[in-house]
PDB file of all heavy atoms in Angstrom:
ATOM      1  N   SER B 211      19.020   9.021 -18.056  1.00 93.00           N
ATOM      2  CA  SER B 211      19.619   8.852 -19.367  1.00 93.00           C
ATOM      3  C   SER B 211      19.052   9.885 -20.334  1.00 93.00           C
ATOM      4  O   SER B 211      17.845  10.080 -20.395  1.00 93.00           O
ATOM      5  CB  SER B 211      19.312   7.438 -19.875  1.00 93.00           C
ATOM      6  OG  SER B 211      19.410   7.387 -21.276  1.00 93.00           O
ATOM      7  N   ASN B 213      19.233   9.495 -23.405  1.00 93.00           N
ATOM      8  CA  ASN B 213      18.870   8.675 -24.552  1.00 93.00           C
ATOM      9  C   ASN B 213      17.407   8.239 -24.496  1.00 93.00           C
ATOM     10  O   ASN B 213      16.890   7.680 -25.459  1.00 93.00           O
ATOM     11  CB  ASN B 213      19.793   7.438 -24.499  1.00 93.00           C
ATOM     12  CG  ASN B 213      19.701   6.544 -25.701  1.00 93.00           C
ATOM     13  OD1 ASN B 213      19.493   7.020 -26.811  1.00 93.00           O
ATOM     14  ND2 ASN B 213      19.842   5.255 -25.497  1.00 93.00           N
ATOM     15  N   LEU B 267      17.625  -1.205 -31.999  1.00 96.00           N
ATOM     16  CA  LEU B 267      18.874  -1.825 -31.574  1.00 96.00           C
ATOM     17  C   LEU B 267      19.949  -0.763 -31.362  1.00 96.00           C
ATOM     18  O   LEU B 267      20.705  -0.790 -30.390  1.00 96.00           O
ATOM     19  CB  LEU B 267      19.330  -2.835 -32.625  1.00 96.00           C
ATOM     20  CG  LEU B 267      20.527  -3.707 -32.254  1.00 96.00           C
ATOM     21  CD1 LEU B 267      20.172  -4.585 -31.061  1.00 96.00           C
ATOM     22  CD2 LEU B 267      20.971  -4.559 -33.429  1.00 96.00           C
ATOM     23  N   TYR B 268      19.976   0.187 -32.265  1.00 96.00           N
ATOM     24  CA  TYR B 268      20.951   1.275 -32.165  1.00 96.00           C
ATOM     25  C   TYR B 268      20.796   2.021 -30.835  1.00 96.00           C
ATOM     26  O   TYR B 268      21.778   2.281 -30.132  1.00 96.00           O
ATOM     27  CB  TYR B 268      20.752   2.222 -33.353  1.00 96.00           C
ATOM     28  CG  TYR B 268      21.467   3.533 -33.208  1.00 96.00           C
ATOM     29  CD1 TYR B 268      22.849   3.611 -33.385  1.00 96.00           C
ATOM     30  CD2 TYR B 268      20.775   4.692 -32.882  1.00 96.00           C
ATOM     31  CE1 TYR B 268      23.511   4.816 -33.229  1.00 96.00           C
ATOM     32  CE2 TYR B 268      21.416   5.897 -32.740  1.00 96.00           C
ATOM     33  CZ  TYR B 268      22.785   5.958 -32.907  1.00 96.00           C
ATOM     34  OH  TYR B 268      23.436   7.142 -32.744  1.00 96.00           O
ATOM     35  N   PHE B 269      19.548   2.320 -30.469  1.00 96.00           N
ATOM     36  CA  PHE B 269      19.347   3.041 -29.205  1.00 96.00           C
ATOM     37  C   PHE B 269      19.611   2.140 -27.995  1.00 96.00           C
ATOM     38  O   PHE B 269      20.036   2.619 -26.950  1.00 96.00           O
ATOM     39  CB  PHE B 269      17.940   3.645 -29.151  1.00 96.00           C
ATOM     40  CG  PHE B 269      17.810   4.858 -30.018  1.00 96.00           C
ATOM     41  CD1 PHE B 269      17.030   4.845 -31.153  1.00 96.00           C
ATOM     42  CD2 PHE B 269      18.515   6.015 -29.704  1.00 96.00           C
ATOM     43  CE1 PHE B 269      16.933   5.968 -31.963  1.00 96.00           C
ATOM     44  CE2 PHE B 269      18.419   7.139 -30.499  1.00 96.00           C
ATOM     45  CZ  PHE B 269      17.629   7.111 -31.640  1.00 96.00           C
ATOM     46  N   ASN B 270      19.385   0.829 -28.154  1.00 95.00           N
ATOM     47  CA  ASN B 270      19.727  -0.089 -27.070  1.00 95.00           C
ATOM     48  C   ASN B 270      21.225  -0.110 -26.820  1.00 95.00           C
ATOM     49  O   ASN B 270      21.667  -0.159 -25.665  1.00 95.00           O
ATOM     50  CB  ASN B 270      19.252  -1.508 -27.416  1.00 95.00           C
ATOM     51  CG  ASN B 270      17.862  -1.780 -26.887  1.00 95.00           C
ATOM     52  OD1 ASN B 270      17.688  -2.022 -25.710  1.00 95.00           O
ATOM     53  ND2 ASN B 270      16.873  -1.678 -27.757  1.00 95.00           N
ATOM     54  N   VAL B 271      21.989  -0.106 -27.925  1.00 95.00           N
ATOM     55  CA  VAL B 271      23.448  -0.084 -27.781  1.00 95.00           C
ATOM     56  C   VAL B 271      23.855   1.161 -27.007  1.00 95.00           C
ATOM     57  O   VAL B 271      24.645   1.095 -26.056  1.00 95.00           O
ATOM     58  CB  VAL B 271      24.113  -0.123 -29.173  1.00 95.00           C
ATOM     59  CG1 VAL B 271      25.593   0.220 -29.071  1.00 95.00           C
ATOM     60  CG2 VAL B 271      23.918  -1.492 -29.798  1.00 95.00           C
ATOM     61  N   ASN B 272      23.268   2.284 -27.365  1.00 94.00           N
ATOM     62  CA  ASN B 272      23.576   3.524 -26.657  1.00 94.00           C
ATOM     63  C   ASN B 272      23.182   3.453 -25.190  1.00 94.00           C
ATOM     64  O   ASN B 272      23.897   3.937 -24.328  1.00 94.00           O
ATOM     65  CB  ASN B 272      22.825   4.690 -27.299  1.00 94.00           C
ATOM     66  CG  ASN B 272      23.552   5.217 -28.512  1.00 94.00           C
ATOM     67  OD1 ASN B 272      24.498   5.972 -28.371  1.00 94.00           O
ATOM     68  ND2 ASN B 272      23.145   4.787 -29.683  1.00 94.00           N
ATOM     69  N   GLU B 273      22.030   2.834 -24.956  1.00 94.00           N
ATOM     70  CA  GLU B 273      21.469   2.829 -23.610  1.00 94.00           C
ATOM     71  C   GLU B 273      22.268   1.947 -22.660  1.00 94.00           C
ATOM     72  O   GLU B 273      22.406   2.271 -21.488  1.00 94.00           O
ATOM     73  CB  GLU B 273      20.015   2.357 -23.688  1.00 94.00           C
ATOM     74  CG  GLU B 273      19.250   2.425 -22.403  1.00 94.00           C
ATOM     75  CD  GLU B 273      19.250   3.805 -21.770  1.00 94.00           C
ATOM     76  OE1 GLU B 273      19.210   4.794 -22.514  1.00 94.00           O
ATOM     77  OE2 GLU B 273      19.311   3.883 -20.535  1.00 94.00           O
ATOM     78  N   TYR B 274      22.764   0.817 -23.165  1.00 95.00           N
ATOM     79  CA  TYR B 274      23.412  -0.119 -22.250  1.00 95.00           C
ATOM     80  C   TYR B 274      24.934  -0.107 -22.358  1.00 95.00           C
ATOM     81  O   TYR B 274      25.630  -0.219 -21.357  1.00 95.00           O
ATOM     82  CB  TYR B 274      22.897  -1.541 -22.489  1.00 95.00           C
ATOM     83  CG  TYR B 274      21.462  -1.691 -22.070  1.00 95.00           C
ATOM     84  CD1 TYR B 274      20.446  -1.842 -23.002  1.00 95.00           C
ATOM     85  CD2 TYR B 274      21.115  -1.646 -20.717  1.00 95.00           C
ATOM     86  CE1 TYR B 274      19.125  -1.947 -22.607  1.00 95.00           C
ATOM     87  CE2 TYR B 274      19.796  -1.746 -20.313  1.00 95.00           C
ATOM     88  CZ  TYR B 274      18.805  -1.902 -21.266  1.00 95.00           C
ATOM     89  OH  TYR B 274      17.505  -2.003 -20.859  1.00 95.00           O
ATOM     90  N   LEU B 275      25.457  -0.020 -23.571  1.00 94.00           N
ATOM     91  CA  LEU B 275      26.906  -0.203 -23.698  1.00 94.00           C
ATOM     92  C   LEU B 275      27.697   1.029 -23.284  1.00 94.00           C
ATOM     93  O   LEU B 275      28.799   0.901 -22.765  1.00 94.00           O
ATOM     94  CB  LEU B 275      27.268  -0.624 -25.130  1.00 94.00           C
ATOM     95  CG  LEU B 275      26.781  -2.030 -25.500  1.00 94.00           C
ATOM     96  CD1 LEU B 275      27.367  -2.475 -26.818  1.00 94.00           C
ATOM     97  CD2 LEU B 275      27.129  -3.039 -24.402  1.00 94.00           C
ATOM     98  N   VAL B 276      27.140   2.200 -23.469  1.00 94.00           N
ATOM     99  CA  VAL B 276      27.903   3.389 -23.076  1.00 94.00           C
ATOM    100  C   VAL B 276      28.086   3.459 -21.557  1.00 94.00           C
ATOM    101  O   VAL B 276      29.208   3.583 -21.072  1.00 94.00           O
ATOM    102  CB  VAL B 276      27.265   4.669 -23.663  1.00 94.00           C
ATOM    103  CG1 VAL B 276      27.992   5.897 -23.153  1.00 94.00           C
ATOM    104  CG2 VAL B 276      27.285   4.623 -25.172  1.00 94.00           C
ATOM    105  N   PRO B 277      26.998   3.312 -20.767  1.00 94.00           N
ATOM    106  CA  PRO B 277      27.226   3.248 -19.310  1.00 94.00           C
ATOM    107  C   PRO B 277      28.074   2.035 -18.916  1.00 94.00           C
ATOM    108  O   PRO B 277      28.866   2.118 -17.985  1.00 94.00           O
ATOM    109  CB  PRO B 277      25.829   3.124 -18.719  1.00 94.00           C
ATOM    110  CG  PRO B 277      24.871   3.360 -19.797  1.00 94.00           C
ATOM    111  CD  PRO B 277      25.566   3.291 -21.102  1.00 94.00           C
TER     112      PRO B 277
END
Side-chain angles (χ1 to χ4, degrees):
Chain B
S211 158
N213 187 34
L267 188 63
Y268 167 75
F269 285 112
N270 268 283
V271 167
N272 278 280
E273 186 55 36
Y274 291 109
L275 292 190
V276 175

